[in-house]
Amino acid sequence: MGPWPRGLRARLLVAFVLVTVLGAAAAAWSGAGSASTALVASAEQRLTEGLTGRIDAVTPQLPHPPDRDALDRLRAAAGPDTLVTYRNLRSADGDGTGLVTGELRTAVRTRHELVTQRITADGRPWLLIGTPVVITAPDGARTPSGIEVYSVHDLTGVERQIGGLAAAAAGTAALALPPAVLLALLASRSVLRPVRRLRDTAQRLADGDLGARLPPRGADELAELTATVNGMAESLQTSMTAMRRMQADARRFAADVSHELRTPLSTLTAVVEVLATAADGMPADARESAELAITETHRLVRLVEDLMEVSRFDAGTARLRLEETELTGAVRDCLRARGWLDRVDVEAPEEIRLRLDRRRLDVIMANLAGNALRHGGPPVRIRLSASREQVRAEVTDGGPGLPEQVVPQVFDRFYKADAVRTRTPGSGLGLAIALENARLHGGDLTAGNADGAGARFVLRLPRDGAVGVNGADGEDG
């Protein structure tokens, strides 16, 4: 970012001060310029009138054509630094007469009237005045006499006065700065107060207080913005209330259905177990149908069990049964119970002991290892490690890995990466339940890909005892 201040208050203050200072400076500059022009014009008028008056007082006594004495008398009457000429005659007094320019003399001779010129010589301003002497006949006719008078005047005093005016104008502009800052502070406070209230209301909405509102005041743009924010909050609150009600209804429906299905499914499970024992003696077609019924029944039982587990997490009734556990042995027992011990490599450099819910650990590791065997490829490895703060279990496989777009959704409920394989084993709830179990222990479960290839899931559990969001050592609902 550049040096421009970021805060709205600072930007408003700087803009207000800049506008005030620039306005005061422009007014002072304009005033000083007008005053200096008036001073110069006044000085020029005073000097020309004085010179012409003195010349007019002497001219009637001069002979014509004039001699040298007449020119000297006219020069003496005109004042110091004066040059009087008539054809080849010349009468001068003072060093300043050397400043008379040829341009001025040409203008006087050709125009036959008083001419002024301002020049700067040796760093000082000068006013040059040139005028012809005119003879007035008894009938009033005026004819040039051929006599020319040039007078040189130093304007240093006038320039000093102009400098004083400019300094006074700059001082006036500087005096306007403190009141400008004070006014800017007062203005920014009144403008930003409703903005701060609107910000606080928006922050309350962001923090989950959907009932936060700000009464609009006045009829300006901020009042319109406040009304718009209130309308947005009202709409959001209505939508969130409806969504939460639908979510609660859906969870209650799933929990009720799962609970109601437990009894008939228990009966159905007993029936299919009997059917399984008799399947070997059935005809081929009947045996195939019986095996399909057995498989689908087991799948339905697993789905209901998973739904009931999810319902317990949603209701906040899931509890941990903590016990001292040796992690490596627990993981091997999980694999051994499912016949995967020879298909999964377990790497554990040391004995790792911690307090956790062994049944929930079994659910997590069974989901991770089962997914690696079904959807990944060999070799499937489980690496266990521990630090002072946490225990880490990393499950990797040699398959193609997780597509990039799948990783953010892999823990979503009922999500399957391949939508075509809707009949694959599993309910689509396994990883979601594994994540909930990890969080119940106060840990976490993440998904990604290994450096080479294949998927990688990492389970992290706290070393100093499991304390999850729903507490521990309680009873499952």
Side-chain angles (χ1 to χ4, degrees), residues 187-250:
S188 64
R189 179 178 299 177
S190 63
V191 170
L192 295 180
R193 187 181 298 114
V195 175
R196 285 196 294 270
R197 288 201 298 265
L198 195 59
R199 178 203 60 191
D200 295 339
T201 302
Q203 185 61 50
R204 289 173 57 193
L205 290 171
D207 292 339
D209 182 8
L210 299 181
R213 300 289 187 276
L214 179 64
R217 298 178 181 176
D220 55 9
E221 289 79 1
L222 286 175
E224 294 177 359
L225 178 60
T226 301
T228 302
V229 171
N230 286 341
M232 181 185 66
E234 187 69 28
S235 177
L236 180 63
Q237 186 179 26
T238 302
S239 299
M240 290 297 294
T241 301
M243 186 179 69
R244 288 170 179 170
R245 184 172 59 250
M246 288 189 293
Q247 288 179 339
D249 291 344

Side-chain angles (χ1 to χ4, degrees), residues 14 22 32 96 113 120 135 138 141 170 186 190 221 237-238 262 293 322 385-386 397 399 402-403 449:
V14 170
L22 289 177
E113 62 181 10
T120 301
I135 298 175
L186 295 176
S190 63
E221 289 79 1
Q237 186 179 26
T238 302
R262 291 183 66 179
L322 298 179
S385 60
D397 63 62
L402 297 172
N449 288 314

